Amino acid sequence: MKKYTDSGKKDTRSGFGAGLTALGKTNENVVALCADLTGSLKMDEFKENHPERFFQVGIAEANMMGMAAGMTIGGKIPFTGTFANFSTGRVYDQIRQSIAYSGKNVKICASHAGVTLGEDGATHQILEDLGLMKMLPGMTVINTCDYNQTKAATIAIAEHKGPVYLRFGRPKVANFTAEDQNFKIGKAVQLQEGNDVTIVATGHLVWEALQAAETLNEKGISAEVVNIHTIKPLDKDAIVKSVKKTGCIVTAEEHNYLGGLGESVARILSESHPTPQEFVATQDTFGESGTPEQLMEKYGLNAEAIVKASEKVLKRK
């Protein structure tokens, strides 16, 4: 069984900041817009290096989306930055009408997603954003798992033509993917090979899935772990190939089970290879205030929950 090592906990939002800083040096068309959260989004260095390419919009997220859409007409590649709740729910009409409908090359970069936002509570802990964004025609949706992958994804989406939603988070989490990885949009990454159950996870739940696989291995259960960083377009071939071998699947995400990764996987399997499936996700509920660890445990979004779901789905094979 392959072992993964945490090289030192880092927040994924800092991975975004590092990626944006790198892009600032290599791509003069990259511009950045922020809605009064420069520090929280780790956009400070880009701002310092390229003040003429940084636009502080203030608490006016809808205006920010309209400005970003307009900038693409002149050949710029705008990266917008604010919390996930404000990047989607607050500005959905502007994204739909001004960005998605006309296929504008805007990169919507969203931090502080999910319950791991922590103490700020339910009003800021959006758990519906992946569903909102994946329903927009032509929108690419990415949810990264650690610092290194977030940095790589940030750099990669600058080369992708079309609107992108990039989701990342606030807390410091395990950093375990390769620093020099080649991030390919739409391509799942097999982290662990197994024969008994497939675990496909996204975002912060990927590390939890690896921990769950170790526990399952101690119980004599061989789990295949797949990192789904791209929610849309989803890597159908990788998912179907894995479940044809294992015969059952668990999906794990820091998102409502309605509209998230799990539902997308279920649709693919219903069309191509019907398979028993269990969902590790929030259950049609809002979050609440607490530490990330407390909330992940309460809402069943940790390794223990993935182990239980795996044991349950195995009985349905």
Side-chain angles (χ1 to χ4, degrees):
M1 184 179 186
K2 188 174 181 179
K3 297 286 186 180
Y4 287 85
T5 302
D6 175 10
S7 64
K9 288 182 168 52
K10 291 185 176 183
D11 47 311
T12 50
R13 58 177 169 156
S14 288
F16 164 69
L20 188 64
T21 296
L23 285 171
K25 299 174 182 177
T26 60
N27 192 330
E28 63 181 11
N29 285 321
V30 169
V31 296
L33 303 89
C34 188
D36 203 30
L37 288 167
T38 311
S40 294
L41 269 290
K42 306 299 182 180
M43 302 171 81
D44 305 82
E45 193 168 353
F46 183 94
K47 176 184 177 181
E48 292 170 6
N49 294 343
H50 312 284
E52 77 286 357
R53 288 155 57 189
F54 179 83
F55 302 87
Q56 178 55 265
V57 179
I59 305 174
E61 294 86 357
N63 290 348
M64 180 170 68
M65 295 302 169
M67 290 170 62
M71 289 177 178
T72 66
I73 298 172
K76 300 303 180 184
I77 307 172
F79 281 65
T80 67
T82 186
F83 292 173
N85 196 22
F86 307 145
S87 291
T88 56
R90 178 171 288 183
V91 295
Y92 198 68
D93 181 60
Q94 283 73 24
I95 293 174
R96 183 183 187 275
Q97 306 295 72
S98 299
I99 297 175
Y101 180 59
S102 51
K104 293 292 191 296
N105 194 29
V106 176
K107 315 308 173 186
I108 303 166
C109 303
S111 183
H112 293 56
V115 295
T116 51
L117 167 56
E119 290 81 357
D120 286 5
T123 57
H124 285 51
Q125 296 165 345
I126 194 162
L127 296 164
E128 313 89 56
D129 55 316
L130 296 178
L132 287 170
M133 300 306 279
K134 78 178 186 181
M135 287 191 293
L136 291 171
M139 182 68 69
T140 294
V141 180
I142 297 172
N143 185 35
T144 50
C145 67
D146 70 358
Y147 173 96
N148 287 339
Q149 190 172 82
T150 307
K151 180 180 179 181
T154 302
I155 295 170
I157 64 176
E159 299 300 319
H160 175 81
K161 301 301 182 184
V164 175
Y165 179 63
L166 175 62
R167 181 197 213 231
F168 42 94
R170 177 188 191 183
K172 291 184 177 181
V173 295
N175 188 36
F176 59 95
T177 65
E179 187 174 0
D180 60 349
Q181 64 189 275
N182 181 18
F183 187 91
K184 294 183 179 180
I185 296 173
K187 293 296 181 183
V189 181
Q190 186 187 81
L191 298 177
Q192 200 71 258
E193 188 172 356
N195 299 305
D196 297 327
V197 58
T198 296
I199 303 171
V200 296
T202 188
H204 294 150
L205 271 291
V206 176
W207 178 253
E208 298 296 325
L210 288 171
Q211 304 313 296
E214 290 189 13
T215 300
L216 290 167
N217 185 61
E218 293 170 0
K219 296 184 176 187
I221 299 170
S222 173
E224 183 149 294
V225 179
V226 181
N227 174 5
I228 303 287
H229 53 65
T230 306
I231 307 297
K232 180 190 174 187
L234 196 57
D235 192 343
K236 173 182 176 179
D237 292 342
I239 294 168
V240 173
K241 178 182 178 182
S242 181
V243 297
K244 282 184 176 179
K245 176 174 61 173
T246 64
C248 62
I249 188 169
V250 172
T251 52
E253 59 191 310
E254 188 186 351
H255 188 271
N256 194 339
Y257 80 98
L258 298 169
L261 169 66
E263 282 201 347
S264 290
V265 170
R267 178 186 57 79
I268 284 175
L269 295 178
S270 69
E271 294 173 347
S272 305
H273 193 76
T275 307
Q277 178 179 349
E278 290 294 329
F279 298 74
V280 172
T282 59
Q283 302 296 304
D284 193 23
T285 184
F286 291 103
E288 62 185 282
S289 182
T291 67
E293 295 76 15
Q294 288 172 333
L295 296 171
M296 293 283 273
E297 180 177 359
K298 176 170 181 177
Y299 290 94
L301 303 176
N302 54 16
E304 182 182 357
I306 296 172
V307 169
K308 290 179 179 178
S310 299
E311 292 173 332
K312 183 176 179 181
V313 80
L314 279 164
K315 297 176 182 177
R316 297 172 54 201
K317 287 175 69 172

